[in-house]
Amino acid sequence: MEYIFVHAGVPLNGQAGSREYALWAREEYWYGESHHNQLSQIFAHNQTGKTIVVGHTPTCLIRGVLDGDVPAGQPEIIGYQAGPTNDCPVVKVQYAGEPARYFTDGGCQPQVPQNNGNVCVFAEDGSLIEVFN
């Protein structure tokens, strides 16, 4: 399995890409160009053929639904532990038949100063093995 490690975003589904996009994308990367302004906030598909690991955005800000989910749906939470040291767990967004997108930035939150971020260990098949916080 191949990986893409990026600070903020990778062009998906025909999105325009640039160095600025890779450094600063947020909602337009999470939801795709056609959905990021809609109330439904439908997550974009990952058609790159590669598992994508993203930092940049505190994961506690990422909310949305998969195509076909009811609006109350939430992305899968990986490595979550209750308590003040992991208020921003790793978030996995994945559609059936596609590689996952992992959002890993659990750190740099002033309200959770003891959280220094998430360090993730991945398997060759693209699955997440462990999260260190």
Side-chain angles (χ1 to χ4, degrees), residues 62-119:
I62 298 171
R63 297 287 178 264
V65 297
L66 299 176
D67 283 343
D69 278 359
V70 297
Q74 293 296 322
E76 181 179 354
I77 303 297
I78 302 294
Y80 180 77
Q81 299 172 6
T85 61
N86 199 359
D87 288 349
C88 290
V90 171
V91 173
K92 174 185 176 186
V93 175
Q94 184 173 21
Y95 285 94
E98 296 178 7
R101 290 188 293 158
Y102 291 97
F103 296 87
T104 64
D105 187 354
C108 38
Q109 292 300 298
Q111 62 271 42
V112 191
Q114 67 276 31
N115 188 344
N116 294 318
N118 295 310
V119 175

